[in-house]
């Protein structure tokens, strides 16, 4: 987790949860977005208890019970940032997970990073020193429930580079759009 500031002058004090399957660039885009907004960034992986990391490192997908304390910790961070802004990454693959996060922080904005399986698999193969093995990608896509029309957020394709993804996300946030946006 980094930064302690609040939104820059003229920027909305949004709390943004950057979501998507592993390998979509949540950490990269999240850090860029937080910097552009002048708010702190928190990495979802830092909220995982050691047992979750060990399970994923071993190639075993987490179940819903494993995710509950992790989601609650992220939701708590988001709640503390309401009104002053912040960006946190979190896969938030299921609607139920996003509902749990919204229960803690009702006004969060979900930025769903999207990409096809082939592109994401290529990205994961190039990653080094990350506990999430590419073998879990299929379980991520199987679990994914994209944003629904009644959820506050936007979807942005990661086929473009992280700077362009960040620019698109900022445009949506500045425009106050609350419905999912397809690239």
């Amino acid at each position: 987790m980094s930064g302690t500031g609040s939104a820059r002058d003229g920027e909305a004090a949004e709390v943004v949860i950057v979501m998507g399957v592993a390998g979509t660039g949540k950490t990269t885009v999240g850090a860029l977005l937080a910097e552009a907004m002048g708010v702190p960034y928190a990495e979802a992986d830092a909220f995982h208890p050691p047992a979750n990391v060990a399970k994923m490192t071993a190639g075993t997908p987490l179940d819903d019970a494993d995710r509950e304390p992790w989601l609650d910790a992220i939701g708590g961070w988001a709640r503390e940032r309401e009104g002053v802004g912040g960006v946190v990454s979190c896969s938030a693959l299921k609607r139920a997970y996003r509902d749990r996060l919204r229960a803690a922080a009702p006004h969060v904005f979900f930025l769903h990073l999207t990409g096809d399986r082939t592109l994401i698999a290529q990205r994961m193969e190039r990653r080094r020193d990350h506990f999430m093995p590419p073998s879990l990608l299929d379980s991520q896509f199987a679990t994914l429930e994209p944003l629904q029309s009644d959820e506050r957020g936007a979807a942005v394709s990661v086929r473009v580079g992280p700077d362009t993804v960040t620019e698109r996300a900022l445009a949506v946030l500045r425009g106050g759009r609350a419905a999912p946006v397809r690239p």
Side-chain angles (χ1 to χ4, degrees):
M1 289 172 265
S2 65
T4 58
S6 60
R8 291 189 178 130
D9 292 340
E11 292 288 342
E14 290 280 1
V15 177
V16 179
I17 297 177
V18 182
M19 63 168 281
V21 299
T24 54
K26 294 182 296 291
T27 299
T28 301
V29 170
L32 288 170
L33 186 59
E35 182 179 344
M37 293 171 61
V39 298
Y41 170 71
E43 168 57 50
D45 292 342
F47 294 92
H48 273 299
N52 284 7
V53 174
K55 196 171 183 179
M56 288 183 284
T57 301
T60 305
L62 299 179
D63 60 29
D64 288 350
D66 295 325
R67 287 187 180 92
E68 286 179 359
W70 175 66
L71 291 167
D72 291 344
I74 293 169
W77 186 90
R79 181 181 54 250
E80 291 171 7
R81 300 303 310 164
E82 284 189 334
V84 293
V87 178
V88 60
S89 59
C90 176
S91 54
L93 298 177
K94 288 184 179 180
R95 170 73 187 244
Y97 304 161
R98 296 188 299 274
D99 289 345
R100 191 175 188 105
L101 292 164
R102 269 191 299 273
H107 304 291
V108 296
F109 183 94
F110 289 94
L111 176 63
H112 181 187
L113 302 184
T114 65
D116 63 59
R117 192 204 176 288
T118 302
L119 173 67
I120 303 308
Q122 290 169 349
R123 288 179 172 202
M124 286 187 77
E125 290 296 332
R126 291 191 302 259
R127 289 197 323 189
R128 301 289 174 251
D129 301 323
H130 194 278
F131 60 80
M132 175 70 91
S135 62
L136 291 181
L137 185 58
D138 287 335
S139 73
Q140 294 259 302
F141 274 104
T143 302
L144 177 63
E145 296 172 1
L147 285 174
Q148 297 173 14
S149 62
D150 64 332
E151 292 185 271
R152 187 166 183 270
V156 177
S157 171
V158 297
R159 187 157 293 285
V160 296
D163 290 330
T164 302
V165 171
T166 303
E167 289 170 12
R168 289 179 181 176
L170 285 168
V172 169
L173 289 165
R174 288 178 180 141
R177 300 172 90 174
V181 175
R182 302 297 176 222

